[in-house]
Amino acid sequence: MDVPDAVVDRMAKTPKEKQAEEGINICVESIQRLKEVEGVRGFHIMAIEWEEKVPEIVERTGLSPRPKVE
């Protein structure tokens, strides 16, 4: 997986105790940007060993309730 330098730098500048929340923020921001890309019809959210965070990500990105495709 390629992680953009900007994301690596952003995480490096985030205090260790806030990195988990910053990671979720990055995920949410990425999904919001990708929702604007024509042809994108869904997302596969993987939170390995952190599955309890998936509902928060889904809620914050407006993916629930499931959007209607027009």
Side-chain angles (χ1 to χ4, degrees):
M1 167 174 32
D2 291 325
V3 179
D5 289 340
V7 172
V8 173
D9 292 342
R10 182 172 168 182
M11 288 300 288
K13 291 176 183 173
T14 301
K16 185 136 181 100
E17 67 276 1
K18 295 185 178 186
Q19 286 180 350
E21 182 61 29
E22 191 66 10
I24 292 172
N25 290 338
I26 291 168
C27 177
V28 169
E29 292 166 14
S30 297
I31 290 172
Q32 296 294 23
R33 282 193 308 274
L34 287 167
K35 283 170 67 174
E36 303 300 319
V37 176
E38 187 175 337
V40 173
R41 296 284 185 245
F43 300 92
H44 181 98
I45 301 169
M46 291 178 59
I48 299 169
E49 295 186 21
W50 214 25
E51 294 83 3
E52 68 274 8
K53 291 298 182 178
V54 172
E56 176 184 346
I57 294 166
V58 170
E59 182 179 322
R60 287 179 54 186
T61 56
L63 295 175
S64 181
R66 191 175 191 154
K68 294 181 181 173
V69 178
E70 298 178 21

